[in-house]
Amino acid sequence: QVRLVETGGGSVQTGGSLTLSCAASENVECMAWFRQAPGKEREGVAAIYTGLGSPYYGAPARGRWTISSDNAKNTVYLQMNNLQPEDSAMYTCAADRPHGGSCPVGLVTGDFTSWGQGTQVTVSS
């Protein structure tokens, strides 16, 4: 399995911004961000096929956030703007290798085999 280390979480006020980073121990082409708040199910935030730079956004991220990758550093970023209290959660990076030449479609937890420990994001009003 690929080792993933997330950084960049923290506490911000409503409307603030954070950039999360996920560093992988090796090159892996299918990477994604998920989040989970206490008492809620894990939900997909964004994914990227690093080979093509193709992003996919879940509902929480659309129109507000940007996922990108630096393949030279095996790192994926999540730029989060206009943060709201409901964005408070543990944000976790996930990765998988392409199957049949393609990354998972969508943001399904079970499609990703490697997971990081997560980084906490807290947004105060």
Side-chain angles (χ1 to χ4, degrees):
Q1 282 190 341
V2 179
R3 286 184 292 110
L4 304 170
V5 178
E6 303 97 332
T7 57
S11 297
V12 296
Q13 292 187 330
T14 299
S17 300
L18 284 172
T19 299
L20 306 183
S21 300
C22 173
S25 58
E26 58 190 88
N27 180 51
V28 58
E29 294 181 284
C30 311
M31 297 187 74
W33 286 96
F34 290 80
R35 72 181 188 183
Q36 188 168 20
K40 295 186 177 181
E41 292 189 357
R42 179 177 285 171
E43 63 177 334
V45 176
I48 190 166
Y49 186 177
T50 62
L52 297 176
S54 304
Y56 175 86
Y57 294 101
R62 289 183 195 131
R64 295 193 299 157
W65 303 346
T66 302
I67 188 170
S68 61
S69 65
D70 184 338
N71 296 344
K73 296 181 179 180
N74 295 333
T75 299
V76 168
Y77 305 95
L78 182 67
Q79 171 67 44
M80 304 188 296
N81 300 319
N82 192 24
L83 285 160
Q84 302 296 313
E86 54 266 33
D87 295 317
S88 297
M90 180 69 74
Y91 285 71
T92 306
C93 181
D96 196 25
R97 303 197 183 280
H99 297 281
S102 299
C103 287
V105 176
L107 290 159
V108 178
T109 300
D111 286 340
F112 294 87
T113 56
S114 297
W115 293 82
Q117 294 298 308
T119 185
Q120 178 69 38
V121 172
T122 303
V123 185
S124 59
S125 57

